[in-house]
Amino acid sequence: MESTCSPSKYQHNVTCYDNCSIRFFYEQVNKTISFNWRTRDYLVVTLGLTVSFIVIFSNVLVITSILKNRRFHFPIYYLLGNLALADFFAGISYLHLMFHTGPWTEKLSIDQWYVRQGLIDTSLTASVLNLLAVAVERHQTIFSMQLHSEMSTRRVFIIIVLIWLVALIMGLVPKMGWNCLCDLGSCSSMAPLYSRSYLVFWAVLNLLTFSIMVAIYTRIFFYVRRKSRQMSQHTNQLKHKETVMNLMKTVSMILDLQASYRPEERGHQRGPSHPSRHKRQPSSSSRLNRRQTTKVQHERTFDLKEDASKGLNSQQSKSISFYLFEFFFYF
């Protein structure tokens, strides 16, 4: 199929090729459009559709989780949700591209071609700006030693609106005039209807954004590593001191417990060998006093065991107390 073109004349003798076919612009940069479907075209479309559906489905899950779960209603999660929305929009854009690529490209008008490319530019710009916003938010939160940012919800939504406004402008700029329709010599071989100057500007802008993100995350990495080393040293010393103190407290409690039981045990040992002989019946008052004394001793024993166990169950507490007492006794 031959390319068709009918240039238009404007003021100051400016000639624009806004009525030409898509094939005309592809031929200007020596880029071909296949007439028939090739194996390569089928593979590209199949892979593109698969990836697009995966991206759309996964980001729908992320957005749904953030909207339904109140635990995620914080600035960082709003930004991550907006990033998921941008990626969802990117999946839609590439899905649209898969149905307007290959041999279908030649059937597109100039406006349809700009819509196809503008959707991709908008979604990619929104994703990059969201990544930058997340990096700045993490930097602010980590260096202020907070779990969540103190940014208000209103400020977060203003940032989100600005991100999409800038992304939309970047997607519409080529259609609004920064193109090569009136200057065929500046057409890019990568995107035949785009001006090379616009692609260079878009690439430099994205490179600058990624450079800022790398610098931010590098600073966060070294800051967190330095703080982790300081905290690990301090934590190890505190844990060692705390372990020694807990051991000493436990041993002293066990010794106190054993001392409280020893007079009673000695009393039993000094008793007659035949308890049946000369056995006196205790009075009611002595039985009452003995019950009260036994009750107080049991309560004291329970409190001491509870303090010594520190969260262990009763059987573990008895075993640990027994072995610690043996260790201290033989030492």
Side-chain angles (χ1 to χ4, degrees):
M1 184 179 296
E2 297 182 357
S3 61
T4 58
C5 184
S6 55
S8 301
K9 293 287 186 177
Y10 293 96
Q11 294 180 354
H12 307 290
N13 295 324
V14 176
T15 302
C16 294
Y17 300 87
D18 49 3
N19 293 321
C20 298
S21 62
I22 297 298
R23 177 173 288 276
F24 171 80
F25 291 96
Y26 276 69
E27 288 177 350
Q28 296 300 315
V29 296
N30 297 322
K31 193 172 184 178
T32 59
I33 301 176
S34 59
F35 293 100
N36 301 316
W37 285 92
R38 300 167 296 182
T39 304
R40 176 174 173 270
D41 298 327
Y42 284 114
L43 291 176
V44 170
V45 172
T46 302
L47 181 61
L49 290 175
T50 304
V51 173
S52 298
F53 281 119
I54 293 174
V55 170
I56 292 172
F57 178 72
S58 59
N59 285 284
V60 165
L61 293 179
V62 173
I63 295 172
T64 305
S65 300
I66 294 176
L67 290 177
K68 285 190 174 183
N69 201 328
R70 286 185 172 272
R71 293 180 302 173
F72 298 150
H73 291 183
F74 292 98
I76 180 61
Y77 295 110
Y78 291 142
L79 293 175
L80 292 176
N82 193 45
L83 177 61
L85 181 62
D87 292 339
F88 170 80
F89 186 60
I92 297 293
S93 302
Y94 278 96
L95 187 64
H96 178 270
L97 174 64
M98 291 301 102
F99 288 104
H100 297 84
T101 189
W104 287 325
T105 304
E106 189 176 10
K107 300 178 181 179
L108 300 177
S109 63
I110 292 179
D111 291 337
Q112 291 175 337
W113 191 92
Y114 277 121
V115 169
R116 187 188 78 172
Q117 299 301 126
L119 291 174
I120 297 175
D121 294 343
T122 301
S123 60
L124 292 180
T125 303
S127 297
V128 172
L129 293 179
N130 268 287
L131 290 172
L132 178 61
V134 170
V136 173
E137 195 276 341
R138 287 292 87 193
H139 181 274
Q140 176 187 358
T141 303
I142 292 175
F143 276 80
S144 59
M145 301 298 291
Q146 296 173 352
L147 180 61
H148 297 291
S149 175
E150 292 183 351
M151 280 195 305
S152 61
T153 304
R154 180 181 178 183
R155 183 176 298 181
V156 173
F157 280 107
I158 290 175
I159 294 175
I160 291 174
V161 170
L162 290 177
I163 288 174
W164 283 104
L165 184 62
V166 173
L168 186 62
I169 291 174
M170 291 298 297
L172 291 176
V173 161
K175 175 60 181 174
M176 294 168 62
W178 199 347
N179 51 52
C180 64
L181 295 181
C182 300
D183 185 13
L184 295 179
S186 64
C187 290
S188 170
S189 59
M190 183 180 298
L193 275 72
Y194 275 3
S195 174
R196 283 193 296 269
S197 59
Y198 169 75
L199 291 178
V200 170
F201 169 76
W202 191 79
V204 170
L205 184 63
N206 284 278
L207 182 61
L208 179 62
T209 305
F210 278 111
S211 300
I212 294 174
M213 284 190 289
V214 170
I216 291 174
Y217 283 117
T218 302
R219 189 162 185 260
I220 291 174
F221 171 75
F222 285 109
Y223 176 80
V224 172
R225 190 175 67 171
R226 186 176 69 254
K227 287 294 182 181
S228 298
R229 288 178 178 176
Q230 295 175 357
M231 293 177 64
S232 62
Q233 294 175 357
H234 184 65
T235 303
N236 290 335
Q237 294 176 358
L238 289 178
K239 284 184 177 180
H240 178 70
K241 293 180 180 179
E242 185 179 359
T243 303
V244 174
M245 292 300 296
N246 289 336
L247 180 59
M248 293 175 63
K249 289 179 181 179
T250 304
V251 171
S252 63
M253 289 178 182
I254 295 170
L255 291 176
D256 189 15
L257 179 63
Q258 296 292 334
S260 65
Y261 273 108
R262 192 163 297 277
E264 185 178 353
E265 293 175 359
R266 290 177 180 175
H268 284 297
Q269 291 175 359
R270 292 178 181 178
S273 58
H274 301 282
S276 60
R277 299 178 181 176
H278 308 288
K279 184 175 183 182
R280 285 195 322 181
Q281 296 294 333
S283 63
S284 59
S285 59
S286 61
R287 285 199 302 268
L288 181 59
N289 292 333
R290 182 173 297 179
R291 289 178 182 175
Q292 292 178 352
T293 304
T294 306
K295 182 178 180 180
V296 171
Q297 289 178 351
H298 280 300
E299 291 177 353
R300 185 182 178 187
T301 303
F302 177 79
D303 293 335
L304 290 172
K305 288 184 178 181
E306 185 178 14
D307 292 335
S309 63
K310 292 185 178 298
L312 299 174
N313 56 43
S314 58
Q315 186 64 32
Q316 291 175 331
S317 176
K318 293 177 182 177
S319 301
I320 293 175
S321 301
F322 178 77
Y323 288 119
L324 285 176
F325 175 73
E326 277 196 344
F327 170 80
F328 186 82
F329 180 79
Y330 285 112
F331 178 77

